[in-house]
Amino acid sequence: MPCGRDSPTRRSGRSRRSSSQCRSDLLPGGRSRPPSVLQVIPQIKEITVNVGILGTGNLATTLGRAWAAAGHTLVVTGRSSENASRAAGQIGDAAEAVGPTDFAARVDVVVVAVAWEGLEEALSLVGGADGSLSGMTVIDCTNAVDYATGQLKPTSGSAAELVARIARGAHVVKAFHLFAGASWPYTGPQDSAPVVAICGDQPEALEHTGALTADLGGRTAVIGGLTSARQLEEAAGFVMRVVGAGSNPRFAVPDVDPASLNAGSATAN
């Protein structure tokens, strides 16, 4: 099964990894949605894909450069053609700026990296409401938090669920909103690599997100279906408040080794 859309047309030409490694049985069989408890996805190797970046800011260009270095091609668009061209230039030769109406036909996976206030407009520009992203993995990086208060701006639901409502038929995954662009790529020891908490309803879309995260040097942990996105988005506000109080959020949560918990449970049984 190809990566990206349900049956995307490959345009990148060069494949540096086996397509047989992108398959639904990398998640436990017989499950239509991810578990409600944390699950770490092993590093999944993807074939090279055309990554579409909807957005032209720092996160967009940083992710784009890292994925270009991993062998992917990038297609960039946004409200301003000038900003899209600038972002593509910052990413490098592997990136191309296109107009919003040409965007969906040129990409296999979409990464949404825009401000909350511009989210609906950005999705509309690329035809999301008309089904242009139907069947495609759409990774939502929107940080919908009030930076002054740490409160989530949507009064209900989440930014990711809004993306799913607007982009009809898209396979939406929440990811990357907790890590600033400067976090990527990670090149240190793998057992210390950042863990990107993600959520979504389609196992294949979670695979695609896991593969792109691995290309950044990170790991992924599935915390549930897309209804878990609000919890993930609220975590960004918590992090901001801890930083604002002058502390490192890494030390604001318990250091828990799941292996030790599993070992203790086995002993108790």
Side-chain angles (χ1 to χ4, degrees), residues 120-145:
E120 291 190 53
E121 180 184 0
L123 292 167
S124 296
L125 283 173
V126 299
D130 299 323
S132 67
L133 306 180
S134 181
M136 189 183 297
T137 297
V138 175
I139 303 171
D140 173 46
C141 310
T142 308
N143 204 339
V145 169

Side-chain angles (χ1 to χ4, degrees), residues 194-218:
V195 175
V196 178
I198 66 175
C199 64
D201 293 335
Q202 288 83 18
E204 189 177 16
L206 294 168
E207 289 180 31
H208 302 156
T209 306
L212 288 172
T213 303
D215 281 339
L216 298 173

Side-chain angles (χ1 to χ4, degrees), residues 11 49-55 60 63-64 67 72-78 91 96 98 102-113 126 133 136-141 212:
R11 306 171 188 85
V49 297
N50 291 338
V51 180
I53 300 183
L54 179 54
L63 291 174
W67 283 322
H72 299 293
T73 56
L74 290 303
V75 176
V76 183
T77 198
I91 293 171
E96 178 185 0
V98 301
D102 297 325
F103 178 74
R106 298 285 303 278
V107 304
D108 302 316
V109 177
V110 172
V111 176
V112 181
V126 299
L133 306 180
M136 189 183 297
T137 297
V138 175
I139 303 171
D140 173 46
C141 310
L212 288 172

